[in-house]
Amino acid sequence: MDKNINENASHKSRGKALIAMSGGVDSSVSAALMKKDGYDCIGITMKLYENETIGMEREGTCCSLSDTEDARKVCSRLGMPYYVLNFKEDFSKKVIDRFVAAYEAGDTPNPCIDCNRYMKFDKLYQRAKELDCDYIVTGHYARVEYDSARGRYLLKKSKNAAKDQSYVLAFLNQEQLAHTIFPLGGFASKEEVRCIADDYGFVNARKHDSQDICFVPDGDYADFMRHYTGKDYPAGDFVTEDGKKLGEHKGIIRYTIGQRKGLGLALPAPLYVCRKDMERNEVILSSEDALFTTTCIVDDFNWIAYEQPSEPVRVTAKTRYRAKEASAAARVLEDGRVELVFDEPQRAITTGQAAVLYDGEEVVGGGTIVLA
């Protein structure tokens, strides 16, 4: 147990740590490891929304009363002070509104990245400084290490490849990384983490992991958007690339690039969503071959492993959370955006998603795909 936390924080002296407590087993074990390793810990749960705001009336969603009570019980068992902080207004502006705007613009967003970027490691990070905390701690599966030769903090993949979350953390800057600890990054399996929770007698030791977007727990983001915005997203046409009408869609926000299932069309051969024309309210369908491309443009890029390079660099890249890494060359354009050129064509690269670059275990950096 000590080995995992010490490897992650070997360059840091003990101090005061703010633990982001979700009510789940990962953040609970992170708190226990930090306490055991001699840190002065404060548990914080971020209240991000009311269930009524997102159109959900049941328990079992993120930010539910049961999650808060689980976090409170864990902190009480560990002898840690515990607080619930209201971040609902910030979450609405920085995460939900951006999520809605992206879909309305024809993009496919990743709200978990925005939540990490703008909430946990911005708003909560600022609150940690106000509370004189030296570090912010979360239950993410990733690692932070300091490279003295480069004089930089590095973000690295988790030892548990199946749970690695480095992709959603690629926007962390050097200051944030310097004051962040991920205690679970050195564990090779989730079962090890659950066993530690069992040893501590935590109520959430065997609690299921959350899978869906926290504010869309039933997965129907189109219905969520209608409820949240009060707007209707009208039906329109499915068309071929040459403009031939194939049928009627149920609202353009319901469809993502590369989608084949759920179109509701009887077609002689499989067709896939290859593009959306938001002005004409048309979903363009094509054969699967049209989904493959070797290039994309990435904006708002955050370099982690080194400063912005002046020459092209060889990397592997992921263009969505569950995608396999693919070999590519990354080149910084005159306007600061990054062009990725893949060795092999990639399927359904989608604007709005993050492109995260790797060099082995290290995260080179990441940004938002704006052209594919």
Side-chain angles (χ1 to χ4, degrees):
M1 189 183 300
D2 288 338
K3 181 175 181 288
N4 285 284
I5 184 80
N6 288 337
E7 282 183 347
N8 189 49
S10 60
H11 59 281
K12 299 180 172 80
S13 61
R14 301 299 176 259
K16 189 175 182 181
L18 184 151
I19 319 293
M21 304 289 291
S22 67
V25 65
D26 293 331
S27 58
S28 299
V29 170
S30 295
L33 293 174
M34 294 297 289
K35 282 283 291 184
K36 183 176 178 63
D37 213 42
Y39 289 86
D40 179 15
C41 298
I42 299 174
I44 297 289
T45 292
M46 304 175 72
K47 183 67 175 177
L48 300 177
Y49 54 79
E50 300 290 350
N51 280 358
E52 293 77 10
T53 302
I54 64 169
M56 298 298 294
E57 298 179 355
R58 61 180 174 83
E59 280 290 303
T61 62
C62 180
C63 291
S64 69
L65 181 61
S66 61
D67 287 330
T68 303
E69 285 306 307
D70 285 349
R72 191 185 307 278
K73 288 174 182 176
V74 167
C75 287
S76 176
R77 192 168 189 85
L78 293 173
M80 287 169 45
Y82 173 73
Y83 306 97
V84 178
L85 301 182
N86 185 346
F87 287 95
K88 289 182 287 188
E89 183 176 353
D90 291 315
F91 187 76
S92 181
K93 291 179 180 178
K94 295 292 189 178
V95 180
I96 299 181
D97 288 353
R98 289 173 60 88
F99 174 86
V100 170
Y103 269 114
E104 290 183 342
D107 296 334
T108 303
N110 188 320
C112 294
I113 289 177
D114 282 346
C115 186
N116 285 322
R117 184 178 186 181
Y118 298 112
M119 302 306 300
K120 293 185 179 73
F121 297 99
D122 185 355
K123 296 297 181 182
L124 191 60
Y125 177 76
Q126 294 300 321
R127 191 62 59 90
K129 292 200 291 187
E130 292 169 9
L131 294 170
D132 294 322
C133 291
D134 303 290
Y135 311 110
I136 186 169
V137 178
T138 74
H140 285 99
Y141 285 80
R143 293 176 291 152
V144 178
E145 294 179 5
Y146 182 70
D147 186 318
S148 57
R150 279 181 266 183
R152 296 183 72 85
Y153 289 88
L154 306 180
L155 177 64
K156 293 189 172 185
K157 297 176 185 176
S158 168
K159 292 294 186 182
N160 182 348
K163 297 291 291 183
D164 175 57
Q165 292 172 296
S166 60
Y167 176 87
V168 298
L169 300 167
F171 285 93
L172 294 185
N173 61 38
Q174 286 294 297
E175 179 186 352
Q176 292 164 336
L177 289 169
H179 297 280
T180 297
I181 300 176
F182 301 124
L184 305 187
F187 288 95
S189 74
K190 180 63 176 270
E191 185 58 26
E192 293 178 72
V193 175
R194 293 197 182 278
C195 287
I196 293 171
D198 282 331
D199 290 343
Y200 276 94
F202 290 159
V203 295
N204 53 12
R206 296 293 157 177
K207 189 174 183 176
H208 291 301
D209 293 340
S210 59
Q211 298 292 336
D212 298 312
I213 298 170
C214 67
F215 56 90
V216 194
D218 62 356
D220 190 344
Y221 64 86
D223 187 61
F224 160 78
M225 286 175 61
R226 284 200 307 272
H227 172 85
Y228 183 78
T229 66
K231 298 178 183 178
D232 286 323
Y233 297 94
D237 291 335
F238 285 116
V239 298
T240 61
E241 290 185 276
D242 59 5
K244 179 184 177 181
K245 182 178 176 179
L246 297 171
E248 188 173 84
H249 67 66
K250 297 179 180 180
I252 199 166
I253 63 169
R254 292 184 174 275
Y255 306 95
T256 57
I257 305 303
Q259 180 177 340
R260 178 177 69 87
K261 295 181 179 179
L263 300 181
L265 297 175
L267 299 168
L271 292 180
Y272 301 78
V273 176
C274 71
R275 188 164 53 85
K276 297 190 290 184
D277 187 326
M278 304 305 288
E279 290 187 5
R280 296 172 62 90
N281 193 27
E282 290 180 342
V283 177
I284 296 89
L285 305 182
S286 70
S287 65
E288 190 171 20
D289 290 346
L291 297 177
F292 287 84
T293 182
T294 57
T295 63
C296 67
I297 303 297
V298 185
D299 200 4
D300 191 23
F301 202 89
N302 177 53
W303 295 96
I304 296 177
Y306 36 76
E307 295 289 345
Q308 179 176 295
S310 57
E311 299 293 333
V313 292
R314 293 294 302 175
V315 296
T316 57
K318 293 176 67 171
T319 55
R320 57 174 52 85
Y321 183 47
R322 296 298 182 190
K324 293 182 178 180
E325 292 173 41
S327 297
R331 179 174 69 96
V332 180
L333 304 177
E334 288 186 2
D335 59 7
R337 298 188 300 174
V338 174
E339 179 188 53
L340 288 182
V341 180
F342 290 91
D343 294 357
E344 301 290 339
Q346 300 298 299
R347 185 185 187 278
I349 297 177
T350 304
T351 59
Q353 291 285 291
V356 176
L357 313 186
Y358 292 88
D359 180 3
E361 291 189 322
E362 295 181 9
V363 176
V364 172
T368 302
I369 300 168
V370 294
L371 186 62

